Amino acid sequence: MSDSLKCNAQETAACCCVDVGTIIDNTDCTASYQHVFANRGEAELMLKSLTEKARATESEPCQIDSRFKDVDGGVELTIDFNFACQAETMIFQLGLR
């Protein structure tokens, strides 16, 4: 193989494709959500809905940390979803689009 055709460990010689392991390396397993709602009831409904979606995605229990904060204009909901692997995090995030 000539020097001009060498590929690094993240690429293959055939197509210079990127190895999935360099993108999904389980370093980012957290998905976060934040939004201001008119009232706590609306925020709680969103928390319930997102929790159900996370539970449908998880292979192992997803740790869900939620916080409500009174702010001007309503209630701010902040949620962190900590999944067992980065692929689940990505599936969850794509499912919200």
Side-chain angles (χ1 to χ4, degrees):
M1 177 184 288
S2 70
D3 289 341
S4 63
L5 295 177
K6 283 185 180 178
C7 290
N8 63 33
Q10 298 158 345
E11 300 175 343
T12 64
C15 67
C16 293
C17 300
V18 176
D19 179 29
V20 172
T22 62
I23 297 170
I24 302 175
D25 59 3
N26 280 335
T27 58
D28 186 11
C29 297
T30 301
S32 297
Y33 173 87
Q34 186 175 43
H35 187 76
V36 176
F37 293 89
N39 56 59
R40 186 168 177 120
E42 290 179 12
E44 288 175 350
L45 284 174
M46 179 58 77
L47 173 59
K48 181 180 181 216
S49 174
L50 293 176
T51 297
E52 289 171 359
K53 289 180 184 203
R55 297 293 178 226
T57 304
E58 67 188 4
S59 63
E60 294 181 25
C62 174
Q63 180 181 344
I64 301 171
D65 298 313
S66 61
R67 297 169 299 287
F68 296 93
K69 179 180 175 184
D70 292 327
V71 296
D72 288 340
V75 175
E76 180 180 79
L77 171 61
T78 303
I79 316 169
D80 292 321
F81 300 90
N82 297 301
F83 289 92
C85 68
Q86 188 174 0
E88 291 176 353
T89 306
M90 293 172 66
I91 291 167
F92 175 74
Q93 290 171 323
L94 290 171
L96 298 180
R97 293 179 179 207

